[in-house]
Every structure is written in C-alpha cells, then in structure tokens.
Amino acid sequence: MDVSRLREICLSFPGAFEDFPFGPETSVFKVRAAVAGGARHEAKMFALSAMDPENWSVSLKCEPALAEQLRAAHPEIAGAWHMNKTHWNGVRLDGALPDDMVRDMVEDSYDLVVATLSRKQQEQLGWARLSRAAERL
C-alpha cells in the first residue's frame, strides 16, 4: 500500500477529512458530523500516519481483545507509538499485510470512533442507517 492509497481509503468515509495538527509531515484523519445550527461538532481522530515511505505505518483504533489477537498473529502490528496501546495499533505498511486487511482495519477504526458520537451525529454521517441495515441481515 502506498501513501495515496492510504489517504484515499481514509477519506472515503462520510465526514472524514485530513488534518495536520502536528505539522505538514504527519497526516491525522478525523471524522466530524455536519455542522448543525452553526454549532461545530468536535472532530475525532481515527487514523494517524507520518506518511513516510522510509518508515511507513499507520496508527488505528482497535477493540482491545482484537488488538491483542492481531498483534499475536502479525509481527507488522504492535501497540501504536505515543498512543494508548490498549486501544491503538501501529500497523507497518511494508507490503506484508494485504491491502484489504489494512482497509478493514481502517474501517474498524472509523466505526469505533463514530460509535462514540451522538445518535444525531451518526445519523448525519449516514452511519446509523448503515448499521441498522446490517442488523436486519
């Protein structure tokens, strides 16, 4: 996976945008619901990457039990540097992991973050409708 593909995946989710709070060399991907009535909702991070081809990795939120399983099964996955290692994985993107697996981990991270938003914000993102449709299947 290359820089442009990771960026494309991260920005493909509703309400996702790229921010640079740590400087131009570090991409932080966040989600924010639409602005309603002039009030701005706080954006929440779901992915972070230095976008450095020499040390290519991404930090992603993960459910704690799954994080442990992924780390045990894949040496490319470890606790994320400078993050709460219970909830964040650092994923090395050196080509050892399939792109589909990385995409699934990014989507899981996004979902975990959106799940913490209010129901109204989830509905604004279209996320609640997607999860309700999945429950009916």
Side-chain angles (χ1 to χ4, degrees):
M1 176 170 298
D2 62 15
V3 170
S4 62
R5 180 68 181 132
L6 177 65
R7 181 174 281 121
E8 177 184 326
I9 290 168
C10 290
L11 295 175
S12 71
F13 302 106
F17 66 98
E18 188 174 13
D19 195 11
F20 301 92
F22 307 116
E25 65 282 346
T26 303
S27 291
V28 177
F29 296 94
K30 299 178 180 181
V31 60
R32 179 174 43 223
V35 176
R40 265 188 102 76
H41 297 297
E42 177 116 4
K44 295 198 175 194
M45 177 178 73
F46 67 92
L48 176 139
S49 178
M51 299 296 209
D52 178 4
E54 299 298 316
N55 188 20
W56 186 218
S57 66
V58 63
S59 296
L60 300 168
K61 192 158 189 157
C62 189
E63 191 276 321
L66 178 58
E68 287 182 27
Q69 293 172 357
L70 289 169
R71 292 172 195 170
H74 303 282
E76 302 81 16
I77 302 173
W81 191 52
H82 285 306
M83 305 291 275
N84 180 332
K85 289 164 184 43
T86 301
H87 297 279
W88 288 86
N89 278 337
V91 181
R92 206 170 57 238
L93 300 174
D94 58 7
L97 297 173
D99 285 3
D100 288 344
M101 181 179 179
V102 174
R103 188 199 190 292
D104 288 345
M105 288 188 286
V106 173
E107 183 174 6
D108 288 348
S109 181
Y110 174 87
D111 286 343
L112 285 169
V113 170
V114 173
T116 68
L117 300 176
S118 71
R119 177 170 283 181
K120 183 176 181 175
Q121 291 170 310
Q122 292 171 359
E123 289 172 355
Q124 286 176 342
L125 293 169
W127 188 78
R129 286 191 302 273
L130 295 174
S131 62
R132 272 186 264 153
E135 289 171 6
R136 288 190 296 247
L137 295 176

